[in-house]
Amino acid sequence: MIRLENVTKVYPTSTRPALDDVSVEVERGEFVFLIGPSGSGKSTLLRLLLREDVPNEGNVWVANWNVGRLASRRVPRLRQRMGVVFQDFRLLPNKTVAENVAFALEVIGKPRHTIRTVVPEVLDLVNLAGKADRMPSELSGGEAQRVAIARAFVNRPLVLLADEPTGNLDPETSTGIMTLLERINRTGTTVVMATHDRQIVDSMRRRVVELSSGKLARDDSRGVYGTGR
Amino acid sequence: MLFVWREAFAGLRRNLTMSIAMVITTAISLGLLGAGLLAVRTIDRTEELYYSLIAVQVALDEPTSAGDPDCSGPVCTGLRDELEANPLVAGVEYESRDAAFERFQRIYAGQSILQLVRPQSLPATLRVTMADPLRGTEIVQQFTGRPGVRNVVDQRSTVQDLFSFLGSVRNATFGLAIVQALAALLLISNTIQLSAFTRRTEVGIMRLVGATRWYTQVPFLIEAVVTGLVGAVLATGGLVLGKLFFLDRLLSGRLLANTIPPVGMSDVLLYVGPVLVIVGAVIATLTGYVTLRLYVRT
């Protein structure tokens, strides 16, 4: 589903590469933790997968797209098959929960009758069916993140990317979010989650890909966050 | 589609004061352009009106005027035949000294200048109607200084002053229109940037979920085009009011009546109006497109 082949990314403002000759492959339906300290290249990797940036060397494959070489007019098509969740939720403050989720479908031109059936379904999946008409300011952090996940998942993406989705949440709420991400993973969606959360990684025992200074440092199929770090 | 329109109007509402400034500036610019176009059209009409009336006058010298009152002598008939044979000439009419004096009396009836003029001070003339009124100077050149000719006058040069006045009115309005258009362009460009900045979170999310350029950019373009169109409609309305309450009175007043033909309502609504709508829409679209390309990352 995802394949990086000797990917190197150097930002113009920096001498050290953000990613240095990284090769890694993720199968369809896998759940992968992407770990490493700040500045190790986790966010860069996610940005390359989303075609927010292109690699200087190597190839990035998502499904059958060679992402780095995709013509820019084809990028929307790629992104429509990917969902993204961020630490800071990124909800639109002037729209309700349901409108925030519907927004993702509206702007890719989905017909209204589809939106009307799909949005309640996905809100049900994230256990927010009762809060469809709330505004984001009325939600707790965990609820807001679940709205963000609903928005990322509503178009049934092939891949869900999560950039420290529990970074702003307390441990208990984080567990709820992880349960939700596992449920989404069980529908066949590949999940890649960048995180600093040792407790979550250790308790889930999923595949762990560790980056260190832009290099692939470790790839364990049922890993833990690591010892002595 | 619906989404795109909703976003565009939300954008216009959000920056309401900017939108109003944009519309007013655009309207003034287009209004001036429209006034210029009306001036051009009026100039064309006025020229047509005058060119059918004006002619080249070949005035005969004193011996011919006095000695050959019915143009039967060799000098006068020679000139007349030569003029009639000229392909530039549509027709030649002879006016004797006495006929000229009668016409003079008619035109200046009751005015003191009549006391000063005797028939002897007016020449007999060959009045030449041109096939092409613009080429009168060629006749002037050919016949000036010929035996029997006192002088040759192209009447077009006497109405030239009027045309150059109308022409400078036109140039001034076009000049102002360009300056205003520049202000309108900058305002539209600025407002789009402002609008894009206010909506950066939204646009960011749109890009992440895979919205195409159509969805992310067209709302801004529509904002610009709506501004252009509303501006054009207001400008046309302004020209209609200007025609009804200013031009109509001016051109039917004693000074200019029968000098400059009136501006018709159809000139404003069927000629200038559509031109302004098209120009407004095209300029706004181009400005919006260029701004999005240069300043707004998508």
Side-chain angles (χ1 to χ4, degrees):
Chain A
M1 180 56 61
I2 296 172
R3 192 163 81 242
L4 276 72
E5 299 169 343
N6 307 98
V7 171
T8 297
K9 175 66 189 176
V10 187
Y11 288 110
T13 50
S14 156
T15 47
R16 193 177 66 78
L19 283 178
D20 191 355
D21 196 27
V22 172
S23 296
V24 69
E25 191 162 352
V26 177
E27 297 297 328
R28 174 183 292 267
E30 260 192 291
F31 193 117
V32 181
F33 285 116
L34 189 60
I35 65 167
S38 299
S40 60
K42 302 188 300 291
S43 295
T44 300
L45 199 154
L46 296 183
R47 286 173 61 80
L48 293 182
L49 291 176
L50 275 169
R51 181 56 189 282
E52 292 265 349
D53 250 321
V54 289
N56 298 94
E57 278 166 50
N59 291 314
V60 176
W61 293 88
V62 171
N64 288 319
W65 287 291
N66 187 344
V67 177
R69 277 158 224 244
L70 210 56
S72 53
R73 68 193 160 81
R74 294 190 192 281
V75 171
R77 188 127 299 221
L78 164 79
R79 291 183 182 160
Q80 284 177 18
R81 304 314 309 275
M82 305 184 83
V84 208
V85 180
F86 299 95
Q87 182 172 3
D88 57 0
F89 321 136
R90 300 200 191 172
L91 300 179
L92 294 173
N94 53 348
K95 290 187 191 293
T96 66
V97 166
E99 283 167 354
N100 262 285
V101 176
F103 184 76
L105 295 175
E106 272 180 273
V107 301
I108 58 171
K110 291 282 178 202
R112 246 189 309 170
H113 59 88
T114 313
I115 298 177
R116 265 202 299 267
T117 51
V118 170
V119 171
E121 278 171 23
V122 79
L123 285 180
D124 203 33
L125 177 84
V126 301
N127 292 328
L128 282 175
K131 302 205 166 174
D133 296 327
R134 297 290 178 89
M135 298 307 281
S137 57
E138 302 169 302
L139 301 176
S140 70
E143 286 168 340
Q145 191 60 292
R146 277 188 278 155
V147 178
I149 291 171
R151 182 179 64 194
F153 187 64
V154 70
N155 197 32
R156 307 287 152 157
L158 298 166
V159 181
L160 182 73
L161 304 179
D163 194 357
E164 310 210 18
T166 58
N168 275 343
L169 306 175
D170 59 66
E172 199 178 328
T173 315
S174 297
T175 310
I177 295 295
M178 292 319 297
T179 312
L180 180 55
L181 289 179
E182 274 198 298
R183 196 187 301 169
I184 282 173
N185 178 235
R186 276 200 299 276
T187 66
T189 305
T190 310
V191 178
V192 177
M193 171 170 160
T195 186
H196 278 136
D197 198 323
R198 170 188 297 266
Q199 200 187 335
I200 285 175
V201 176
D202 288 350
S203 66
M204 301 256 304
R205 304 304 304 256
R206 296 295 193 122
R207 180 173 171 194
V208 173
V209 171
E210 183 175 350
L211 291 174
S212 172
S213 306
K215 288 197 168 67
L216 186 65
R218 178 160 67 106
D219 189 348
D220 289 345
S221 60
R222 287 177 69 79
V224 292
Y225 197 84
T227 48
R229 284 172 198 275
Chain B
M1 201 59 229
L2 190 73
F3 169 82
V4 169
W5 285 99
R6 213 172 54 212
E7 289 298 307
F9 283 100
L12 284 170
R13 262 202 315 277
R14 190 159 25 212
N15 306 316
L16 192 61
T17 49
M18 271 304 247
S19 305
I20 292 171
M22 226 169 29
V23 167
I24 291 174
T25 321
T26 313
I28 292 175
S29 161
L30 290 173
L32 288 168
L33 175 68
L37 289 174
L38 284 177
V40 170
R41 183 151 260 227
T42 306
I43 289 168
D44 290 349
R45 288 237 184 97
T46 313
E47 287 186 351
E48 256 169 54
L49 183 75
Y50 281 83
Y51 286 157
S52 61
L53 299 175
I54 63 180
V56 176
Q57 288 187 309
V58 180
L60 303 179
D61 66 359
E62 179 58 27
T64 318
S65 299
D68 186 9
D70 50 5
C71 195
S72 55
V75 177
C76 187
T77 47
L79 287 169
R80 170 153 55 182
D81 292 347
E82 198 181 331
L83 279 167
E84 279 174 344
N86 193 310
L88 296 172
V89 173
V92 182
E93 244 175 90
Y94 175 74
E95 186 181 51
S96 71
R97 167 172 275 178
D98 290 340
F101 186 63
E102 267 171 44
R103 188 163 60 89
F104 193 84
Q105 282 178 313
R106 216 170 45 240
I107 294 173
Y108 294 98
Q111 295 185 30
S112 53
I113 192 171
L114 264 187
Q115 317 295 317
L116 304 169
V117 174
R118 300 277 167 275
Q120 290 79 355
S121 38
L122 294 171
T125 50
L126 287 166
R127 199 169 173 280
V128 181
T129 333
M130 300 297 298
D132 176 0
L134 298 175
R135 297 177 69 181
T137 45
E138 294 174 37
I139 298 293
V140 173
Q141 277 163 8
Q142 280 175 39
F143 286 87
T144 301
R146 294 282 292 272
V149 174
R150 183 166 101 178
N151 62 353
V152 186
V153 174
D154 183 0
Q155 288 181 325
R156 195 171 77 94
S157 61
T158 55
V159 292
Q160 209 59 55
D161 288 349
L162 177 64
F163 294 147
S164 66
F165 166 72
L166 291 172
S168 50
V169 169
R170 172 200 59 196
N171 292 344
T173 45
F174 278 154
L176 280 174
I178 289 171
V179 174
Q180 275 291 324
L182 197 66
L185 290 190
L186 293 177
L187 260 178
I188 291 175
S189 166
N190 205 322
T191 311
I192 288 179
Q193 288 176 57
L194 186 74
S195 189
F197 184 75
T198 350
R199 290 185 46 211
R200 65 194 182 286
T201 326
E202 223 163 321
V203 172
I205 291 168
M206 288 169 77
R207 292 176 50 234
L208 274 180
V209 300
T212 53
R213 192 181 267 278
W214 169 264
Y215 279 89
T216 51
Q217 299 205 335
V218 167
F220 299 116
L221 275 187
I222 292 179
E223 270 185 67
V225 173
V226 166
T227 304
L229 290 179
V230 174
V233 169
L234 286 183
T236 310
L239 288 176
V240 167
L241 293 180
K243 173 199 144 40
L244 290 177
F245 295 106
F246 176 69
L247 272 187
D248 282 0
R249 278 182 206 171
L250 183 72
L251 296 184
S252 67
R254 284 188 50 195
L255 187 63
L256 290 172
N258 303 322
T259 312
I260 299 175
V263 173
M265 191 56 92
S266 63
D267 291 337
V268 179
L269 290 181
L270 301 179
Y271 167 62
V272 171
V275 170
L276 295 188
V277 166
I278 291 167
V279 169
V282 168
I283 288 186
T285 311
L286 286 180
T287 311
Y289 184 77
V290 170
T291 305
L292 288 172
R293 266 290 148 104
L294 293 183
Y295 299 107
V296 183
R297 204 179 77 97
T298 49

